[in-house]
Amino acid sequence: MGTLNSSFLFRSQLRRVISIAIVGMLICFCIVLYGFKHADRTVEKINRDRLFHLREACERTNNGGKNTIETSFYIHVKNESLLYCLVFKSGTTTWFYNINRWAGISEETILDDKTDNFNMARQKYPWENPRVLLTSMKNTYSFIVVRNPFERLISAYEERLLGQLHPYFKNLSHQIYRRYHDDGNHFGIPSFEDFARFVVEQSRNKKPADLHWRPINDLCTPCLARYDSILKMETFAQDIEYLTNRTQLHGKIKPVQMNRSRRDRVDRLIEKYFSQLTKQQFDDLYDVYRIDFELFQYSSERFSKYVKQTE
């Protein structure tokens, strides 16, 4: 009898422990699920705020000074019902990789330094004229990826002019150096100050800037577009997660990092490069990207504090 009572007591205690464990697991699951939903709602609100701010800023700036939509850098991925505007130096490596991979192009080809991923993507996803593009925006998940304009400029300077991986940029780098240095050196490397002066002069002379540092307002004319999402490089991971939750892209987007040019932390690079500029040079450079700063809620304070206070 004692043995039976002990066995019954053991089974009773075991059932109680199992019940408590199951309840605990359910509570944990609910907490995690709530956390995911709460986080998604938070990102959703951030996205709504970004879109609302864009509309308000477009009204203040008279649509960024644009009258017709620039269609050259929009890619319509019909199979995934996705419409994306390319902002070079703002996550394009990741998107080129995935967009071209969805088109059946091999990873080896996509990641080859000699591959022009934009032209390759354009062959698979043809250009759309303004009327067709605006219609596509109404029926497709449309998004843009942006970045602080001056961080984007630093990235372009480091990768394109200092990296000199492409003959075009190697030649351009030497041209910019010779433009501001009369020392007989035909193969010098321009300073960031030289580069800033070049960007400002190109803008004032109404010459089209290279795609890697062309203002977003010129690349995508965002005030004339319709977006479902505005992704930012500063919050790229959570924004990608939000986008996949709103589309059919779960498990289809693979982040890719190919920028090998960065030598220091971003804050160190900001100090290193913007300390080369006078206040006037900084103000002139800011004017080139002023609309981008306004449209996407970016601040220049992190950069201006390093500017030379005397000429």
Side-chain angles (χ1 to χ4, degrees):
M1 181 67 70
T3 302
L4 288 176
N5 286 337
S6 298
S7 178
F8 175 78
L9 182 61
F10 173 76
R11 287 197 300 271
S12 177
Q13 289 176 336
L14 182 61
R15 283 196 297 270
R16 186 180 306 159
V17 169
I18 292 173
S19 298
I20 292 173
I22 292 172
V23 170
M25 290 172 63
L26 288 173
I27 292 173
C28 288
F29 175 77
C30 290
I31 291 173
V32 170
L33 184 62
Y34 171 79
F36 281 139
K37 288 184 176 180
H38 179 71
D40 196 52
R41 283 198 299 269
T42 301
V43 178
E44 183 178 12
K45 182 180 183 305
I46 290 171
N47 186 60
R48 285 201 310 268
D49 290 345
R50 290 172 180 174
L51 293 169
F52 180 75
H53 176 87
L54 176 62
R55 288 194 297 271
E56 283 197 324
C58 287
E59 290 179 6
R60 290 197 309 270
T61 61
N62 190 27
N63 284 338
K66 303 296 183 181
N67 298 314
T68 56
I69 191 167
E70 171 57 69
T71 62
S72 301
F73 305 106
Y74 282 90
I75 292 183
H76 186 188
V77 186
K78 293 182 180 179
N79 288 346
E80 303 296 344
S81 192
L82 206 65
L83 187 63
Y84 164 53
C85 189
L86 296 163
V87 176
F88 295 83
K89 305 308 301 173
S90 296
T92 45
T93 299
T94 286
W95 288 106
F96 275 142
Y97 173 83
N98 287 284
I99 286 171
N100 284 329
R101 187 166 55 89
W102 297 335
I105 299 168
S106 70
E107 180 173 301
E108 182 181 3
T109 300
I110 296 170
L111 298 180
D112 190 325
D113 288 338
K114 297 183 179 66
T115 298
D116 186 332
N117 276 289
F118 177 48
N119 286 333
M120 188 160 56
R122 185 55 81 206
Q123 292 172 19
K124 299 291 183 178
Y125 310 102
W127 169 84
E128 294 182 344
N129 66 48
R131 181 182 59 80
V132 173
L133 180 67
L134 290 171
T135 301
S136 297
M137 285 181 177
K138 296 178 182 178
N139 305 306
T140 306
Y141 196 94
S142 177
F143 72 100
I144 186 173
V145 183
V146 300
R147 185 179 190 177
N148 184 294
F150 284 164
E151 276 197 30
R152 184 171 163 245
L153 195 65
I154 287 174
S155 180
Y157 170 71
E158 286 234 314
E159 182 184 358
R160 298 294 159 172
L161 297 188
L162 297 188
Q164 299 186 359
L165 298 178
H166 191 284
Y168 167 79
F169 289 104
K170 186 174 183 178
N171 183 52
L172 179 62
S173 178
H174 298 327
Q175 285 182 26
I176 294 174
Y177 181 86
R178 291 194 297 269
R179 188 179 187 125
Y180 303 109
H181 300 272
D182 186 18
D183 58 5
N185 185 354
H186 296 290
F187 304 102
I189 304 299
S191 66
F192 185 78
E193 178 188 3
D194 296 334
F195 178 52
R197 291 174 65 186
F198 174 75
V199 169
V200 169
E201 288 178 11
Q202 293 289 96
S203 176
R204 286 177 174 172
N205 293 329
K206 307 298 182 184
K207 293 183 178 180
D210 183 89
L211 301 180
H212 295 85
W213 54 83
R214 187 175 299 178
I216 300 170
N217 189 45
D218 293 341
L219 285 170
C220 299
T221 51
C223 289
L224 304 178
R226 188 203 69 81
Y227 299 124
D228 294 290
S229 285
I230 297 174
L231 285 67
K232 291 192 173 187
M233 289 300 293
E234 294 80 4
T235 53
F236 197 57
Q238 71 179 34
D239 292 346
I240 285 281
E241 182 66 22
Y242 175 78
L243 185 147
T244 57
N245 288 338
R246 294 296 178 274
T247 60
Q248 304 299 314
L249 296 175
H250 277 289
K252 291 186 176 182
I253 300 177
K254 178 182 176 182
V256 178
Q257 173 67 36
M258 287 181 63
N259 185 357
R260 307 179 186 91
S261 63
R262 175 152 293 166
R263 298 166 174 80
D264 297 302
R265 292 181 297 106
V266 174
D267 290 343
R268 174 70 188 97
L269 292 174
I270 292 172
E271 179 180 6
K272 176 181 179 181
Y273 293 136
F274 278 79
S275 62
Q276 298 177 21
L277 305 184
T278 65
K279 186 178 185 306
Q280 186 60 58
Q281 288 172 330
F282 177 86
D283 291 343
D284 292 342
L285 189 63
Y286 179 83
D287 282 344
V288 175
Y289 296 97
R290 178 178 58 82
I291 298 295
D292 287 2
F293 276 101
E294 292 187 25
L295 296 185
F296 300 108
Q297 293 176 284
Y298 282 115
S299 169
S300 64
E301 290 182 6
R302 291 168 57 212
F303 306 84
S304 61
K305 68 181 181 180
Y306 294 113
V307 170
K308 296 176 186 176
Q309 297 305 310
T310 56
E311 296 296 326

